[in-house]
PDB file of all heavy atoms in Angstrom:
ATOM      1  N   ASN A  12      80.216 119.957 104.227  1.00  0.00           N
ATOM      2  CA  ASN A  12      81.316 119.031 104.532  1.00  0.00           C
ATOM      3  C   ASN A  12      81.776 118.149 103.409  1.00  0.00           C
ATOM      4  O   ASN A  12      80.957 117.371 102.873  1.00  0.00           O
ATOM      5  CB  ASN A  12      80.927 118.077 105.768  1.00  0.00           C
ATOM      6  CG  ASN A  12      82.107 117.250 106.318  1.00  0.00           C
ATOM      7  OD1 ASN A  12      83.218 117.343 105.844  1.00  0.00           O
ATOM      8  ND2 ASN A  12      81.732 116.416 107.224  1.00  0.00           N
ATOM      9  N   PRO A  13      83.084 118.265 102.972  1.00  0.00           N
ATOM     10  CA  PRO A  13      83.507 117.432 101.772  1.00  0.00           C
ATOM     11  C   PRO A  13      83.750 115.997 102.144  1.00  0.00           C
ATOM     12  O   PRO A  13      83.994 115.182 101.213  1.00  0.00           O
ATOM     13  CB  PRO A  13      84.832 118.114 101.380  1.00  0.00           C
ATOM     14  CG  PRO A  13      85.316 118.743 102.690  1.00  0.00           C
ATOM     15  CD  PRO A  13      84.134 119.096 103.452  1.00  0.00           C
ATOM     16  N   GLY A  14      83.692 115.605 103.397  1.00  0.00           N
ATOM     17  CA  GLY A  14      83.967 114.147 103.830  1.00  0.00           C
ATOM     18  C   GLY A  14      85.299 113.977 104.493  1.00  0.00           C
ATOM     19  O   GLY A  14      86.030 114.945 104.575  1.00  0.00           O
ATOM     20  N   LYS A  15      85.605 112.800 104.829  1.00  0.00           N
ATOM     21  CA  LYS A  15      86.833 112.509 105.504  1.00  0.00           C
ATOM     22  C   LYS A  15      88.057 112.524 104.670  1.00  0.00           C
ATOM     23  O   LYS A  15      87.865 112.263 103.419  1.00  0.00           O
ATOM     24  CB  LYS A  15      86.744 111.136 106.258  1.00  0.00           C
ATOM     25  CG  LYS A  15      86.407 109.956 105.292  1.00  0.00           C
ATOM     26  CD  LYS A  15      86.161 108.717 106.104  1.00  0.00           C
ATOM     27  CE  LYS A  15      85.662 107.533 105.226  1.00  0.00           C
ATOM     28  NZ  LYS A  15      85.401 106.311 106.044  1.00  0.00           N
ATOM     29  N   ASN A  16      89.082 112.930 105.259  1.00  0.00           N
ATOM     30  CA  ASN A  16      90.421 112.984 104.546  1.00  0.00           C
ATOM     31  C   ASN A  16      90.410 113.845 103.328  1.00  0.00           C
ATOM     32  O   ASN A  16      91.058 113.562 102.267  1.00  0.00           O
ATOM     33  CB  ASN A  16      90.906 111.623 104.099  1.00  0.00           C
ATOM     34  CG  ASN A  16      91.295 110.678 105.305  1.00  0.00           C
ATOM     35  OD1 ASN A  16      91.692 111.231 106.364  1.00  0.00           O
ATOM     36  ND2 ASN A  16      91.124 109.380 105.203  1.00  0.00           N
ATOM     37  N   ALA A  17      89.761 115.058 103.466  1.00  0.00           N
ATOM     38  CA  ALA A  17      89.719 116.027 102.332  1.00  0.00           C
ATOM     39  C   ALA A  17      91.012 116.881 102.391  1.00  0.00           C
ATOM     40  O   ALA A  17      91.686 116.972 103.394  1.00  0.00           O
ATOM     41  CB  ALA A  17      88.471 116.863 102.545  1.00  0.00           C
ATOM     42  N   ILE A  18      91.283 117.474 101.245  1.00  0.00           N
ATOM     43  CA  ILE A  18      92.384 118.401 101.080  1.00  0.00           C
ATOM     44  C   ILE A  18      91.890 119.779 101.397  1.00  0.00           C
ATOM     45  O   ILE A  18      90.904 120.347 100.743  1.00  0.00           O
ATOM     46  CB  ILE A  18      92.979 118.296  99.705  1.00  0.00           C
ATOM     47  CG1 ILE A  18      93.605 116.984  99.489  1.00  0.00           C
ATOM     48  CG2 ILE A  18      94.022 119.481  99.542  1.00  0.00           C
ATOM     49  CD1 ILE A  18      94.203 116.749  98.045  1.00  0.00           C
ATOM     50  N   PHE A  19      92.522 120.410 102.441  1.00  0.00           N
ATOM     51  CA  PHE A  19      91.958 121.702 102.893  1.00  0.00           C
ATOM     52  C   PHE A  19      93.061 122.820 102.488  1.00  0.00           C
ATOM     53  O   PHE A  19      94.191 122.518 102.317  1.00  0.00           O
ATOM     54  CB  PHE A  19      91.716 121.809 104.449  1.00  0.00           C
ATOM     55  CG  PHE A  19      90.512 120.923 104.726  1.00  0.00           C
ATOM     56  CD1 PHE A  19      90.664 119.664 105.389  1.00  0.00           C
ATOM     57  CD2 PHE A  19      89.342 121.518 104.630  1.00  0.00           C
ATOM     58  CE1 PHE A  19      89.538 118.913 105.681  1.00  0.00           C
ATOM     59  CE2 PHE A  19      88.169 120.692 105.027  1.00  0.00           C
ATOM     60  CZ  PHE A  19      88.249 119.511 105.461  1.00  0.00           C
ATOM     61  N   MET A  20      92.577 124.074 102.475  1.00  0.00           N
ATOM     62  CA  MET A  20      93.408 125.164 102.123  1.00  0.00           C
ATOM     63  C   MET A  20      94.688 125.343 102.970  1.00  0.00           C
ATOM     64  O   MET A  20      95.719 125.818 102.483  1.00  0.00           O
ATOM     65  CB  MET A  20      92.627 126.475 102.203  1.00  0.00           C
ATOM     66  CG  MET A  20      91.452 126.499 101.217  1.00  0.00           C
ATOM     67  SD  MET A  20      91.999 126.648  99.523  1.00  0.00           S
ATOM     68  CE  MET A  20      92.696 128.309  99.516  1.00  0.00           C
ATOM     69  N   GLN A  21      94.635 124.991 104.217  1.00  0.00           N
ATOM     70  CA  GLN A  21      95.775 125.252 105.089  1.00  0.00           C
ATOM     71  C   GLN A  21      96.841 124.180 104.956  1.00  0.00           C
ATOM     72  O   GLN A  21      97.917 124.364 105.519  1.00  0.00           O
ATOM     73  CB  GLN A  21      95.325 125.310 106.553  1.00  0.00           C
ATOM     74  CG  GLN A  21      94.808 124.088 107.191  1.00  0.00           C
ATOM     75  CD  GLN A  21      93.329 123.899 107.089  1.00  0.00           C
ATOM     76  OE1 GLN A  21      92.708 124.394 106.164  1.00  0.00           O
ATOM     77  NE2 GLN A  21      92.744 123.193 108.019  1.00  0.00           N
ATOM     78  N   TYR A  22      96.592 123.141 104.156  1.00  0.00           N
ATOM     79  CA  TYR A  22      97.606 122.030 104.044  1.00  0.00           C
ATOM     80  C   TYR A  22      98.813 122.473 103.251  1.00  0.00           C
ATOM     81  O   TYR A  22      98.619 123.164 102.216  1.00  0.00           O
ATOM     82  CB  TYR A  22      96.996 120.913 103.323  1.00  0.00           C
ATOM     83  CG  TYR A  22      96.036 120.059 104.210  1.00  0.00           C
ATOM     84  CD1 TYR A  22      95.302 118.945 103.779  1.00  0.00           C
ATOM     85  CD2 TYR A  22      95.786 120.406 105.632  1.00  0.00           C
ATOM     86  CE1 TYR A  22      94.470 118.283 104.506  1.00  0.00           C
ATOM     87  CE2 TYR A  22      94.895 119.642 106.326  1.00  0.00           C
ATOM     88  CZ  TYR A  22      94.270 118.607 105.884  1.00  0.00           C
ATOM     89  OH  TYR A  22      93.417 117.863 106.601  1.00  0.00           O
ATOM     90  N   ASP A  23      99.941 122.082 103.623  1.00  0.00           N
ATOM     91  CA  ASP A  23     101.206 122.408 102.882  1.00  0.00           C
ATOM     92  C   ASP A  23     101.463 121.302 101.923  1.00  0.00           C
ATOM     93  O   ASP A  23     100.787 120.301 101.849  1.00  0.00           O
ATOM     94  CB  ASP A  23     102.396 122.683 103.833  1.00  0.00           C
ATOM     95  CG  ASP A  23     102.685 121.381 104.771  1.00  0.00           C
ATOM     96  OD1 ASP A  23     102.244 120.273 104.388  1.00  0.00           O
ATOM     97  OD2 ASP A  23     103.391 121.562 105.743  1.00  0.00           O
ATOM     98  N   GLU A  24     102.489 121.464 101.141  1.00  0.00           N
ATOM     99  CA  GLU A  24     102.711 120.453 100.016  1.00  0.00           C
ATOM    100  C   GLU A  24     103.040 119.102 100.623  1.00  0.00           C
ATOM    101  O   GLU A  24     102.584 118.100 100.022  1.00  0.00           O
ATOM    102  CB  GLU A  24     103.960 121.031  99.175  1.00  0.00           C
ATOM    103  CG  GLU A  24     104.309 120.124  97.980  1.00  0.00           C
ATOM    104  CD  GLU A  24     105.336 120.699  97.073  1.00  0.00           C
ATOM    105  OE1 GLU A  24     105.693 121.844  97.335  1.00  0.00           O
ATOM    106  OE2 GLU A  24     105.746 119.981  96.137  1.00  0.00           O
ATOM    107  N   GLY A  25     103.703 119.030 101.650  1.00  0.00           N
ATOM    108  CA  GLY A  25     104.115 117.722 102.328  1.00  0.00           C
ATOM    109  C   GLY A  25     102.797 116.988 102.743  1.00  0.00           C
ATOM    110  O   GLY A  25     102.738 115.738 102.562  1.00  0.00           O
ATOM    111  N   THR A  26     101.918 117.732 103.383  1.00  0.00           N
ATOM    112  CA  THR A  26     100.587 117.084 103.785  1.00  0.00           C
ATOM    113  C   THR A  26      99.827 116.514 102.616  1.00  0.00           C
ATOM    114  O   THR A  26      99.265 115.426 102.683  1.00  0.00           O
ATOM    115  CB  THR A  26      99.820 118.008 104.700  1.00  0.00           C
ATOM    116  OG1 THR A  26     100.632 118.544 105.740  1.00  0.00           O
ATOM    117  CG2 THR A  26      98.637 117.488 105.263  1.00  0.00           C
ATOM    118  N   ILE A  27      99.802 117.419 101.632  1.00  0.00           N
ATOM    119  CA  ILE A  27      98.942 116.967 100.430  1.00  0.00           C
ATOM    120  C   ILE A  27      99.620 115.768  99.805  1.00  0.00           C
ATOM    121  O   ILE A  27      98.940 114.816  99.417  1.00  0.00           O
ATOM    122  CB  ILE A  27      98.871 118.179  99.425  1.00  0.00           C
ATOM    123  CG1 ILE A  27      98.040 119.254 100.007  1.00  0.00           C
ATOM    124  CG2 ILE A  27      98.319 117.728  98.050  1.00  0.00           C
ATOM    125  CD1 ILE A  27      98.142 120.612  99.269  1.00  0.00           C
ATOM    126  N   ASP A  28     100.875 115.810  99.625  1.00  0.00           N
ATOM    127  CA  ASP A  28     101.714 114.667  99.044  1.00  0.00           C
ATOM    128  C   ASP A  28     101.331 113.356  99.798  1.00  0.00           C
ATOM    129  O   ASP A  28     101.138 112.284  99.309  1.00  0.00           O
ATOM    130  CB  ASP A  28     103.127 114.911  99.038  1.00  0.00           C
ATOM    131  CG  ASP A  28     103.873 113.879  98.337  1.00  0.00           C
ATOM    132  OD1 ASP A  28     103.716 113.615  97.100  1.00  0.00           O
ATOM    133  OD2 ASP A  28     104.731 113.153  99.053  1.00  0.00           O
ATOM    134  N   LYS A  29     101.451 113.428 101.122  1.00  0.00           N
ATOM    135  CA  LYS A  29     101.225 112.271 101.958  1.00  0.00           C
ATOM    136  C   LYS A  29      99.860 111.771 101.863  1.00  0.00           C
ATOM    137  O   LYS A  29      99.621 110.510 101.799  1.00  0.00           O
ATOM    138  CB  LYS A  29     101.541 112.659 103.450  1.00  0.00           C
ATOM    139  CG  LYS A  29     101.470 111.447 104.400  1.00  0.00           C
ATOM    140  CD  LYS A  29     101.848 111.970 105.825  1.00  0.00           C
ATOM    141  CE  LYS A  29     101.788 110.759 106.849  1.00  0.00           C
ATOM    142  NZ  LYS A  29     102.103 111.217 108.200  1.00  0.00           N
ATOM    143  N   LEU A  30      98.889 112.621 101.761  1.00  0.00           N
ATOM    144  CA  LEU A  30      97.438 112.221 101.714  1.00  0.00           C
ATOM    145  C   LEU A  30      97.145 111.543 100.350  1.00  0.00           C
ATOM    146  O   LEU A  30      96.493 110.459 100.258  1.00  0.00           O
ATOM    147  CB  LEU A  30      96.576 113.454 101.880  1.00  0.00           C
ATOM    148  CG  LEU A  30      94.986 113.111 102.158  1.00  0.00           C
ATOM    149  CD1 LEU A  30      94.841 112.333 103.375  1.00  0.00           C
ATOM    150  CD2 LEU A  30      94.365 114.468 102.299  1.00  0.00           C
ATOM    151  N   LEU A  31      97.663 112.163  99.207  1.00  0.00           N
ATOM    152  CA  LEU A  31      97.482 111.631  97.907  1.00  0.00           C
ATOM    153  C   LEU A  31      98.143 110.285  97.753  1.00  0.00           C
ATOM    154  O   LEU A  31      97.653 109.299  97.141  1.00  0.00           O
ATOM    155  CB  LEU A  31      97.883 112.577  96.824  1.00  0.00           C
ATOM    156  CG  LEU A  31      96.956 113.889  96.651  1.00  0.00           C
ATOM    157  CD1 LEU A  31      97.643 114.818  95.710  1.00  0.00           C
ATOM    158  CD2 LEU A  31      95.609 113.395  96.134  1.00  0.00           C
ATOM    159  N   ASN A  32      99.334 110.208  98.293  1.00  0.00           N
ATOM    160  CA  ASN A  32     100.105 108.906  98.241  1.00  0.00           C
ATOM    161  C   ASN A  32      99.346 107.727  98.961  1.00  0.00           C
ATOM    162  O   ASN A  32      99.336 106.566  98.556  1.00  0.00           O
ATOM    163  CB  ASN A  32     101.534 109.025  98.844  1.00  0.00           C
ATOM    164  CG  ASN A  32     102.506 109.641  97.815  1.00  0.00           C
ATOM    165  OD1 ASN A  32     102.537 109.101  96.740  1.00  0.00           O
ATOM    166  ND2 ASN A  32     103.124 110.714  98.194  1.00  0.00           N
ATOM    167  N   HIS A  33      98.625 108.111  99.995  1.00  0.00           N
ATOM    168  CA  HIS A  33      97.810 107.181 100.782  1.00  0.00           C
ATOM    169  C   HIS A  33      96.694 106.677  99.909  1.00  0.00           C
ATOM    170  O   HIS A  33      96.443 105.497  99.841  1.00  0.00           O
ATOM    171  CB  HIS A  33      97.289 107.800 102.069  1.00  0.00           C
ATOM    172  CG  HIS A  33      96.144 107.061 102.720  1.00  0.00           C
ATOM    173  ND1 HIS A  33      96.364 105.799 103.257  1.00  0.00           N
ATOM    174  CD2 HIS A  33      94.844 107.335 102.846  1.00  0.00           C
ATOM    175  CE1 HIS A  33      95.094 105.441 103.739  1.00  0.00           C
ATOM    176  NE2 HIS A  33      94.200 106.319 103.462  1.00  0.00           N
ATOM    177  N   PHE A  34      96.041 107.612  99.202  1.00  0.00           N
ATOM    178  CA  PHE A  34      94.929 107.267  98.291  1.00  0.00           C
ATOM    179  C   PHE A  34      95.403 106.410  97.103  1.00  0.00           C
ATOM    180  O   PHE A  34      94.784 105.396  96.850  1.00  0.00           O
ATOM    181  CB  PHE A  34      94.250 108.556  97.747  1.00  0.00           C
ATOM    182  CG  PHE A  34      93.587 109.429  98.757  1.00  0.00           C
ATOM    183  CD1 PHE A  34      93.382 110.779  98.484  1.00  0.00           C
ATOM    184  CD2 PHE A  34      93.215 108.957 100.007  1.00  0.00           C
ATOM    185  CE1 PHE A  34      92.821 111.655  99.297  1.00  0.00           C
ATOM    186  CE2 PHE A  34      92.699 109.806 100.947  1.00  0.00           C
ATOM    187  CZ  PHE A  34      92.392 111.073 100.614  1.00  0.00           C
ATOM    188  N   ILE A  35      96.529 106.722  96.521  1.00  0.00           N
ATOM    189  CA  ILE A  35      97.043 106.062  95.418  1.00  0.00           C
ATOM    190  C   ILE A  35      97.489 104.626  95.805  1.00  0.00           C
ATOM    191  O   ILE A  35      97.200 103.610  95.061  1.00  0.00           O
ATOM    192  CB  ILE A  35      98.201 106.772  94.677  1.00  0.00           C
ATOM    193  CG1 ILE A  35      97.674 108.133  94.164  1.00  0.00           C
ATOM    194  CG2 ILE A  35      98.960 105.995  93.732  1.00  0.00           C
ATOM    195  CD1 ILE A  35      98.781 109.121  93.847  1.00  0.00           C
ATOM    196  N   LYS A  36      98.114 104.452  96.946  1.00  0.00           N
ATOM    197  CA  LYS A  36      98.470 103.231  97.453  1.00  0.00           C
ATOM    198  C   LYS A  36      97.285 102.276  97.709  1.00  0.00           C
ATOM    199  O   LYS A  36      97.321 101.111  97.459  1.00  0.00           O
ATOM    200  CB  LYS A  36      99.255 103.324  98.711  1.00  0.00           C
ATOM    201  CG  LYS A  36      99.858 101.963  99.166  1.00  0.00           C
ATOM    202  CD  LYS A  36     100.782 102.251 100.451  1.00  0.00           C
ATOM    203  CE  LYS A  36     101.333 100.917 100.907  1.00  0.00           C
ATOM    204  NZ  LYS A  36     102.199 101.137 102.156  1.00  0.00           N
ATOM    205  N   GLN A  37      96.135 102.828  98.188  1.00  0.00           N
ATOM    206  CA  GLN A  37      95.048 102.073  98.422  1.00  0.00           C
ATOM    207  C   GLN A  37      94.271 101.667  97.143  1.00  0.00           C
ATOM    208  O   GLN A  37      93.688 100.585  97.100  1.00  0.00           O
ATOM    209  CB  GLN A  37      94.064 103.001  99.249  1.00  0.00           C
ATOM    210  CG  GLN A  37      92.813 102.315  99.732  1.00  0.00           C
ATOM    211  CD  GLN A  37      91.776 103.293 100.451  1.00  0.00           C
ATOM    212  OE1 GLN A  37      90.631 103.192 100.285  1.00  0.00           O
ATOM    213  NE2 GLN A  37      92.405 104.099 101.140  1.00  0.00           N
ATOM    214  N   LEU A  38      94.316 102.519  96.173  1.00  0.00           N
ATOM    215  CA  LEU A  38      93.546 102.366  94.943  1.00  0.00           C
ATOM    216  C   LEU A  38      94.520 102.360  93.657  1.00  0.00           C
ATOM    217  O   LEU A  38      94.548 103.261  92.876  1.00  0.00           O
ATOM    218  CB  LEU A  38      92.408 103.304  94.663  1.00  0.00           C
ATOM    219  CG  LEU A  38      91.394 103.320  95.762  1.00  0.00           C
ATOM    220  CD1 LEU A  38      90.447 104.625  95.616  1.00  0.00           C
ATOM    221  CD2 LEU A  38      90.561 102.086  95.796  1.00  0.00           C
ATOM    222  N   PRO A  39      95.482 101.412  93.623  1.00  0.00           N
ATOM    223  CA  PRO A  39      96.521 101.507  92.654  1.00  0.00           C
ATOM    224  C   PRO A  39      96.130 101.323  91.156  1.00  0.00           C
ATOM    225  O   PRO A  39      96.974 101.785  90.278  1.00  0.00           O
ATOM    226  CB  PRO A  39      97.437 100.284  93.029  1.00  0.00           C
ATOM    227  CG  PRO A  39      96.489  99.222  93.704  1.00  0.00           C
ATOM    228  CD  PRO A  39      95.482 100.265  94.438  1.00  0.00           C
ATOM    229  N   ASP A  40      94.997 100.824  90.856  1.00  0.00           N
ATOM    230  CA  ASP A  40      94.468 100.554  89.462  1.00  0.00           C
ATOM    231  C   ASP A  40      93.912 101.895  88.851  1.00  0.00           C
ATOM    232  O   ASP A  40      93.756 101.982  87.667  1.00  0.00           O
ATOM    233  CB  ASP A  40      93.453  99.481  89.382  1.00  0.00           C
ATOM    234  CG  ASP A  40      93.919  98.213  89.733  1.00  0.00           C
ATOM    235  OD1 ASP A  40      95.250  98.022  89.725  1.00  0.00           O
ATOM    236  OD2 ASP A  40      93.230  97.216  90.104  1.00  0.00           O
ATOM    237  N   CYS A  41      93.630 102.876  89.709  1.00  0.00           N
ATOM    238  CA  CYS A  41      93.169 104.192  89.206  1.00  0.00           C
ATOM    239  C   CYS A  41      94.157 104.928  88.360  1.00  0.00           C
ATOM    240  O   CYS A  41      95.297 105.035  88.800  1.00  0.00           O
ATOM    241  CB  CYS A  41      92.606 105.003  90.362  1.00  0.00           C
ATOM    242  SG  CYS A  41      91.279 104.229  91.276  1.00  0.00           S
ATOM    243  N   LYS A  42      93.694 105.433  87.271  1.00  0.00           N
ATOM    244  CA  LYS A  42      94.613 105.995  86.408  1.00  0.00           C
ATOM    245  C   LYS A  42      94.774 107.605  86.595  1.00  0.00           C
ATOM    246  O   LYS A  42      95.728 108.386  86.027  1.00  0.00           O
ATOM    247  CB  LYS A  42      94.211 105.882  84.947  1.00  0.00           C
ATOM    248  CG  LYS A  42      94.319 104.512  84.380  1.00  0.00           C
ATOM    249  CD  LYS A  42      94.020 104.386  82.938  1.00  0.00           C
ATOM    250  CE  LYS A  42      94.162 102.947  82.379  1.00  0.00           C
ATOM    251  NZ  LYS A  42      93.913 102.907  80.888  1.00  0.00           N
ATOM    252  N   GLY A  43      93.886 108.126  87.363  1.00  0.00           N
ATOM    253  CA  GLY A  43      93.905 109.596  87.610  1.00  0.00           C
ATOM    254  C   GLY A  43      93.021 109.987  88.830  1.00  0.00           C
ATOM    255  O   GLY A  43      92.523 109.106  89.476  1.00  0.00           O
ATOM    256  N   ILE A  44      92.801 111.234  88.932  1.00  0.00           N
ATOM    257  CA  ILE A  44      91.883 111.764  90.033  1.00  0.00           C
ATOM    258  C   ILE A  44      90.960 112.788  89.511  1.00  0.00           C
ATOM    259  O   ILE A  44      91.244 113.406  88.490  1.00  0.00           O
ATOM    260  CB  ILE A  44      92.616 112.255  91.273  1.00  0.00           C
ATOM    261  CG1 ILE A  44      93.229 113.667  90.946  1.00  0.00           C
ATOM    262  CG2 ILE A  44      93.771 111.328  91.668  1.00  0.00           C
ATOM    263  CD1 ILE A  44      93.755 114.450  92.179  1.00  0.00           C
ATOM    264  N   ASN A  45      89.816 113.022  90.167  1.00  0.00           N
ATOM    265  CA  ASN A  45      89.142 114.230  90.013  1.00  0.00           C
ATOM    266  C   ASN A  45      88.617 114.765  91.303  1.00  0.00           C
ATOM    267  O   ASN A  45      88.728 114.015  92.399  1.00  0.00           O
ATOM    268  CB  ASN A  45      87.857 113.991  89.079  1.00  0.00           C
ATOM    269  CG  ASN A  45      86.696 113.186  89.655  1.00  0.00           C
ATOM    270  OD1 ASN A  45      87.014 112.374  90.632  1.00  0.00           O
ATOM    271  ND2 ASN A  45      85.553 113.488  89.281  1.00  0.00           N
TER     272      ASN A  45
END
């Protein structure tokens, strides 16, 4: 289990964009992702 709010293979571009935007809004000082 990768944990909550993970990006899964069946997700389309809109779902991925929405999820990442949620993360970025929550942690705005972060410069990138891994």
Side-chain angles (χ1 to χ4, degrees):
N12 186 5
K15 55 187 174 183
N16 292 332
I18 293 176
F19 290 100
M20 294 291 292
Q21 70 268 24
Y22 285 177
D23 59 20
E24 186 174 350
T26 305
I27 294 169
D28 181 68
K29 185 177 179 181
L30 194 57
L31 287 175
N32 277 310
H33 165 69
F34 297 158
I35 294 167
K36 187 177 179 181
Q37 182 187 143
L38 300 169
D40 294 341
C41 294
K42 292 186 175 182
I44 75 167
N45 74 329

